[in-house]
Amino acid sequence: MTEATTIRRVLVVDDDAAVRDALAQTLELADLDPLPVGSFIEAKDHIAADFAGVVLSDIRMPGRDGFHLLTHTQTIDAELPVILLTGEGDIPMAVQAMRQGAFGFLEKPCATADLLAALERALKTREMVLENRRMKAQLETGDAAARMIYGQSDLSEGLRNRARLAARAGTDVLVSGAPGSGIYKVAEVIHLTSAQAKGPFVKRAAPTLDRAALSDVVAAAQGGTLFLDDLGGLALDVQSALIEALEEGDLRLIGGTTQDLSAAVEAGHLLADLYYRIEVMKVRVPSLKERPEDIPVLFRRYVAQAAEQSGLLAPEVSSDLLADLMARDWPGNARALMSAAMRFVLGEETGTGEDSVDLGLAEQMARVERSLLIAALRRAEGRASAAAKALKLPRKTFYDKLARYGLKPEQFRAEG
């Protein structure tokens, strides 16, 4: 892996088939996704405002040359990076390319390291542009799930869809997850996406409530939603009162928990009537350990929020830092990542506790790759074929990577 980025496509435009094929092979060896074409006519069909990639083009081509392609690209999307190649060694041409908005300019033949470094910068820039556009589009919609639940992984999209389904169902809901995973935020999303959205959203910690306090919060939540965090800690006599209030009142209950409430029922700490009332609609919040590919998006978002709150300029988030963050397990989940973002904005250590600063890019990216393999195996419950498919890797490549990191699929079968 050359960069902690989810965008890997490179549109390679060169009329010389041998050069085009050599470039494509170089990019493939760097785990990039080349899309080779031989002319502007072929290239323009792939250039669009939502193109999830960058353009690498020769300048000297018959008919419409690289400058024409650059102009066309800027007309379609001025923020789509175009890197131009030439064998001329023409400095005025390079100046003209940069003035016209080229992202970069390289002389052929260029060193592989220089080419990949330029492409990595372009891909990271493109990823940030598309992510910012996606977030802006979400803010302009009324979809609280898209606006408030961050992440681009399949697990994050599944969580958004599950929250929307729970909102439409109209039943009471149980939201579970690891500590710090964002249970409260998901509960709020369910409320804001539901028919009760215009009503109150009342949040309380269940263990702090007695019968009198419960009566007060139930009255405050009429016509809306009552969110009780740590539902398993609610006193038994208060649980009975809650069941009665739900049957008689006009409110919806969302219970939050970091525990297995079925075990609490078996132990006699939670009334079965209350448990079966809320477990009909369950929403589970995945941990960061399960979806490390979301960490770059989340961290950048939290850095921007922390900078706004503190009145400071947001520092640049380097790829090395993201690689280090993705390699961690994050037992504190989103809450811990928020704290790391605030420390980063304030110029303090991010608290990795490891010697990542002494690691080269290859070592850091190896850690990221290993974490992604582990996350895929966990999600697939140790089924290697399913994990390989999720990562879009050929089976042989997948098994080669497992061997490289000493991972065995059977290690993850008992975790499901």
Side-chain angles (χ1 to χ4, degrees):
M1 296 170 65
T2 58
E3 192 63 33
T5 173
T6 57
I7 293 180
R8 317 196 65 75
R9 173 144 287 199
V10 180
L11 178 62
V12 180
V13 190
D14 198 306
D15 63 300
D16 188 322
V19 173
R20 187 169 67 243
D21 291 344
L23 286 171
Q25 184 178 39
T26 297
L27 301 190
E28 286 176 347
L29 290 173
D31 286 339
L32 297 180
D33 180 18
L35 177 59
V37 297
S39 67
F40 166 78
I41 299 299
E42 291 180 80
K44 71 181 181 64
D45 292 335
H46 298 283
I47 295 172
D50 60 351
F51 180 64
V54 300
V55 180
L56 176 67
S57 175
D58 189 19
I59 289 183
R60 297 291 187 183
M61 294 186 293
R64 305 287 177 88
D65 61 11
F67 284 114
H68 186 89
L69 183 145
L70 174 63
T71 301
H72 174 79
T73 301
Q74 291 185 316
T75 301
I76 302 297
D77 184 354
E79 294 180 298
L80 174 52
V82 177
I83 297 174
L84 294 174
L85 297 169
T86 183
E88 300 292 327
D90 189 341
I91 299 302
M93 183 179 290
V95 173
Q96 181 185 351
M98 302 307 287
R99 283 178 176 172
Q100 288 186 216
F103 184 87
F105 179 90
L106 296 170
E107 183 177 359
K108 294 191 300 184
C110 60
T112 298
D114 294 338
L115 173 63
L116 295 179
L119 287 172
E120 286 167 2
R121 291 192 298 271
L123 288 165
K124 182 169 66 173
T125 298
R126 185 59 173 170
E127 182 181 18
M128 293 178 65
V129 165
L130 294 181
E131 171 63 11
N132 289 337
R133 288 179 186 175
R134 187 183 67 82
M135 291 190 295
K136 181 179 179 182
Q138 290 175 357
L139 290 172
E140 291 172 351
T141 70
D143 185 356
R147 191 171 67 248
M148 297 172 64
I149 299 177
Y150 311 140
Q152 297 175 310
S153 67
D154 291 342
L155 283 177
S156 292
E157 184 59 26
L159 177 60
R160 285 188 285 268
N161 290 334
R162 186 68 179 173
R164 295 177 185 118
L165 176 62
R168 293 194 301 269
T171 63
D172 296 324
V173 182
L174 176 62
V175 181
S176 64
S181 58
I183 293 172
Y184 166 71
K185 177 178 283 189
V186 172
E188 187 177 14
V189 165
I190 293 171
H191 168 73
L192 292 173
T193 317
S194 72
Q196 293 83 18
K198 294 184 179 179
F201 179 69
V202 180
K203 173 196 174 185
R204 292 292 186 277
T208 67
L209 298 177
D210 56 20
R211 292 177 71 96
L214 177 71
S215 179
D216 291 341
V217 298
V218 165
Q222 290 299 312
T225 302
L226 172 61
F227 172 62
L228 294 182
D229 198 15
D230 193 7
L231 187 64
L234 193 64
L236 284 171
D237 64 321
V238 184
Q239 292 178 34
S240 298
L242 175 60
I243 293 171
E244 183 178 345
L246 292 172
E247 291 176 348
E248 296 178 356
D250 176 25
L251 74 160
R252 182 186 202 184
L253 173 67
I254 300 180
T257 184
T258 60
Q259 305 170 1
D260 178 5
L261 291 189
S262 64
V265 174
E266 293 178 5
H269 302 313
L270 184 68
L271 295 178
D273 286 351
L274 179 57
Y275 174 68
Y276 290 119
R277 182 182 183 105
I278 61 171
E279 68 93 31
V280 66
M281 175 56 69
K282 294 189 287 188
V283 179
R284 177 182 170 274
V285 185
S287 65
L288 284 186
K289 187 176 181 178
E290 297 174 84
R291 50 189 183 109
E293 60 267 46
D294 283 337
I295 289 175
V297 173
L298 292 169
F299 188 72
R300 287 192 181 109
R301 169 80 71 152
Y302 296 153
V303 165
Q305 291 175 346
E308 183 177 356
Q309 292 170 8
S310 59
L312 299 172
L313 290 176
E316 181 181 355
V317 181
S318 71
S319 59
D320 289 353
L321 174 59
L322 291 177
D324 181 77
L325 296 176
M326 289 177 70
R328 297 173 60 192
D329 282 346
W330 293 101
N333 288 289
R335 190 177 301 146
L337 191 62
M338 288 181 193
S339 297
M342 178 59 80
R343 292 195 299 273
F344 178 67
V345 169
L346 295 176
E348 301 177 6
E349 295 294 328
T350 57
T352 61
E354 300 183 28
D355 298 328
S356 60
V357 292
D358 296 327
L359 297 177
L361 179 60
E363 290 86 352
Q364 293 188 54
M365 296 314 300
R367 289 169 55 187
V368 173
E369 185 172 58
R370 184 177 186 275
S371 71
L372 293 174
L373 290 168
I374 290 173
L377 284 168
R378 283 200 181 101
R379 290 196 294 266
E381 298 180 348
R383 299 190 305 275
S385 58
K389 183 177 180 181
L391 292 174
K392 300 179 181 177
L393 290 174
R395 284 179 62 86
K396 184 181 183 305
T397 302
F398 180 73
Y399 278 106
D400 287 345
K401 291 180 182 295
L402 293 186
R404 183 187 311 164
Y405 299 115
L407 299 174
K408 297 180 179 179
E410 55 266 26
Q411 294 174 313
F412 303 90
R413 286 172 192 156
E415 297 188 9

